[in-house]
Amino acid sequence: MKSLLPVAIVIALTSSGAAWASDDCRRPMAEWQSRDAVTVRATELGLTTERLRIDDGCYELRGRDGDGNRVELTLEPATLAILELEVRFRPGADASRYLPGARAQSGKATKPSTGKSPSTPTTTVPNPVH
């Protein structure tokens, strides 16, 4: 009975590793967009590209946004859809660009156009990164 325990542990560890492998991109290279298309996509998102590489079949881009925050993206190579986004904010940075529905800290207050109380300011929220 004791000899089956190590075998069971090895099987459990091996099968759990298969679940981690699902994070890889699996599109054939014939369907991939070019590296130039990736940098154009980054520019559309308001990013400057510092490093572009391929890892686990996905494009991985490192760069900075317009506010100087470090951004790392994982992109699906055929559609250039964002699979993973990591932002390292500078101290005091405004995160509302990356949070849908969040109010901007530095948003511009305007007067409401309806019959609401003029003491309630309206804040303009920038579009989130998709």
Side-chain angles (χ1 to χ4, degrees), residues 13-101:
L13 292 175
T14 305
S15 63
S16 66
W20 293 342
S22 65
D23 293 341
D24 299 346
C25 297
R26 302 197 183 273
R27 292 286 185 112
M29 287 192 78
E31 297 178 14
W32 285 29
Q33 302 235 7
S34 69
R35 293 173 83 88
D36 290 335
V38 176
T39 37
V40 167
R41 172 83 167 123
T43 304
E44 290 171 354
L45 295 171
L47 305 174
T48 57
T49 305
E50 294 174 357
R51 180 179 178 181
L52 176 60
R53 68 184 202 138
I54 299 169
D55 186 33
D56 294 330
C58 302
Y59 280 120
E60 289 187 358
L61 181 136
R62 185 186 313 156
R64 295 193 182 270
D65 65 9
D67 298 328
N69 301 312
R70 293 185 60 88
V71 178
E72 293 183 21
L73 287 174
T74 301
L75 300 170
E76 200 282 326
T79 63
L80 301 183
I82 298 173
L83 301 175
E84 190 175 334
L85 169 67
E86 181 180 340
V87 181
R88 294 185 195 131
F89 294 100
R90 294 179 306 113
D94 181 17
S96 64
R97 172 182 178 182
Y98 298 99
L99 302 171

Side-chain angles (χ1 to χ4, degrees), residues 79-128:
T79 63
L80 301 183
I82 298 173
L83 301 175
E84 190 175 334
L85 169 67
E86 181 180 340
V87 181
R88 294 185 195 131
F89 294 100
R90 294 179 306 113
D94 181 17
S96 64
R97 172 182 178 182
Y98 298 99
L99 302 171
R103 291 182 168 248
Q105 293 175 358
S106 61
K108 184 177 178 182
T110 60
K111 291 183 180 178
S113 60
T114 62
K116 294 180 183 177
S117 167
S119 64
T120 307
T122 306
T123 305
T124 306
V125 179
N127 289 331

